[in-house]
Amino acid sequence: MFLFPAIPRRWLILLAVMLAFLPVIIDMTILHIAVPSLTLALDASATEVLWVIDIYPLLMAGLLVPMGTLADRIGNRRVLLTGLGIFGTASLLAAFAPTPAMLIGTRALLALGGSMIMPCVLGIIRRTFEDDKERAMALGLWGTVGAAGAALGPLIGGALLEHFWWGSAFLINVPIMLAVMPLVYLLLPRTEETTSGQWTPWQAVLLIAGMLSLVYGIKAAFGATQPLYLALSVALSGLGLLLVFVRLQLRAPEPLLDLSLFSRPPILAGIIMAVVASGALAGVELTLAQELQYVLDRTPLQAGIFMIPIMAAAALGGPVAGYLSNLFGLRLVASLSLAIAAAALACLARSDFGHPGLTVPLMLALLGLALSIGLTASSIAIMSSVASSQGGAAGSLEATAYELGSGLGITLFGVFLSSVYSRTILLAPDITPSQAERAARSIGDSYVVARDLAEPQATALIAAGKTAFSSSHSILLMTAAALLAALSILVIYLLREHSTSRQ
């Protein structure tokens, strides 16, 4: 630390892990902007596009807990450096994927690297900051970096897609990783406190298989991508594997995952907040990115600029959440932020994005600020309720909630859009049955089909697709608003014993 003699070591460590976390967040939001471009370039179907987006958060949902407990066993530094290397390699492969299937595979590899990075970042923050007030501010700064990365993602992605191919949205991660890895190697301590016990690989595989089966079964059931009986069978199989895992953990003297963490109301509240809020935010962002480009004919860069208010305001929410939680208490801050986010979404549901005026940017900014405060409050609730030696496990639970919420949010929003779209689009009778079947799946499929049609059929199909997509705008956002409003009430109950003094 001789390079920075005036800066306390703990704040330099925070800088290192925040920089490590940044590419993971940028990757998630860049892809939302790139969806229309890669859909047309790879001739991807609506199902393939959903899997390209979903495989990352859904696979991470199964990997995060095992990787978080592994970090507690062998050290966060080793796991974090390995994850950064995998993430950088996977980004390079994804940038040059020639088919949707190859892109889905490389996104799965990205999930492996990301699952090693995210719990380590939170675990290191928990171990480094023992003072409650400093920890709240550190988590707030961590939230700011996450929101800033999310804000830069659409803007960087839009700028890249103005001049380069869709793969540049992944390639941008490579130089970031090359810069971050030496910093992490130099700044993080080489020795750290670890928990006792062995990391049992077969139990980790059991947990991963159970999580993936359950989530895939739910996704398939809602998305109607498989027969209902098959989707339910997969979901029930996953539930059975998870029950076996739980039974093993309850009997083990040194379990892979300490299930007693779920009995603590602040942790439970934080996990629920993370799932619902991240799901609503991911679904709204993806819907907005598609509407701006498909319906309103904005360029990727214009779409990225349009969404800056929600992300830029979110960048302010982290430190604001830490300050307000110390001042007024976590319970009030968490519940009010979710209620304000619900009100902003309800207002957006009645807005016209084609003529935004000042109302839409202001509501987007209010939504980003409120959700950022709420998500940072969930981090404070979780990480303040565990010992430093359990930081990796607690961080993995929170990260799992984020990824599970994002994956299910994208799935449910995507399924809803697809359902409304297929029922409302009015197709011309002069296209073939196979073309009509694909065009009715999603607006992206309609654009792909239109490329093979002559005028005026192509123009008519695009116009019908825009009308059908816009019809779901109000219902979708109002549903998300209702979920956040209900969550704000639940949080008041779960955090009833979490007083200001604890912060």
Side-chain angles (χ1 to χ4, degrees), residues 216-228:
Y216 176 79
I218 295 172
K219 173 184 170 63
F222 278 106
T225 57
Q226 300 290 343
L228 183 59

Side-chain angles (χ1 to χ4, degrees), residues 173-183:
N173 292 331
V174 177
I176 296 175
M177 287 297 171
L178 292 177
V180 167
M181 288 184 69
L183 286 175

Side-chain angles (χ1 to χ4, degrees), residues 27-94:
D27 184 75
M28 294 175 69
T29 55
I30 274 184
L31 192 59
H32 290 176
I33 288 293
V35 162
S37 298
L38 70 86
T39 298
L40 298 176
L42 299 181
D43 195 18
S45 67
T47 300
E48 288 171 331
V49 169
L50 278 179
W51 271 114
V52 167
I53 300 170
D54 269 356
I55 190 64
Y56 182 81
L58 296 184
L59 187 57
M60 282 185 69
L63 289 169
L64 280 164
V65 170
M67 292 304 167
T69 54
L70 177 64
D72 284 340
R73 298 290 195 277
I74 69 173
N76 286 280
R77 183 175 182 270
R78 292 171 59 185
V79 175
L80 179 57
L81 284 171
T82 303
L84 291 170
I86 293 173
F87 197 89
T89 302
S91 297
L92 185 61
L93 295 174

Side-chain angles (χ1 to χ4, degrees), residues 140-270:
L141 291 172
W142 164 80
T144 297
V145 169
L152 289 173
L155 188 59
I156 293 174
L160 288 172
L161 292 175
E162 286 284 308
H163 303 288
F164 305 103
W165 89 116
W166 63 266
S168 61
F170 293 101
L171 200 61
I172 190 65
N173 292 331
V174 177
I176 296 175
M177 287 297 171
L178 292 177
V180 167
M181 288 184 69
L183 286 175
V184 171
Y185 180 84
L186 292 173
L187 290 173
L188 292 187
R190 285 158 175 73
T191 58
E192 54 186 301
E193 180 185 0
T194 57
T195 57
S196 60
Q198 296 183 342
W199 190 80
T200 313
W202 72 270
Q203 289 189 15
V205 171
L206 184 66
L207 175 60
I208 293 169
M211 286 287 293
L212 287 180
S213 298
L214 179 61
V215 172
Y216 176 79
I218 295 172
K219 173 184 170 63
F222 278 106
T225 57
Q226 300 290 343
L228 183 59
Y229 74 88
L230 181 59
L232 292 177
S233 297
V234 173
L236 290 174
S237 298
L239 182 60
L241 291 174
L242 291 177
L243 290 176
V244 172
F245 175 80
V246 168
R247 187 174 183 181
L248 289 172
Q249 301 312 296
L250 293 175
R251 292 184 173 183
E254 294 178 337
L256 180 68
L257 175 63
D258 184 4
L259 296 177
S260 67
L261 294 175
F262 290 98
S263 65
R264 305 176 190 179
I267 292 180
L268 184 60

Side-chain angles (χ1 to χ4, degrees), residues 407-440:
L408 290 178
I410 289 170
T411 296
L412 295 177
F413 274 61
V415 168
F416 179 87
L417 283 172
S418 178
S419 176
V420 174
Y421 189 84
S422 63
R423 291 200 308 267
T424 56
I425 188 170
L426 299 176
L427 297 172
D430 54 354
I431 63 175
T432 66
S434 61
Q435 289 174 327
E437 180 184 1
R438 179 166 188 183

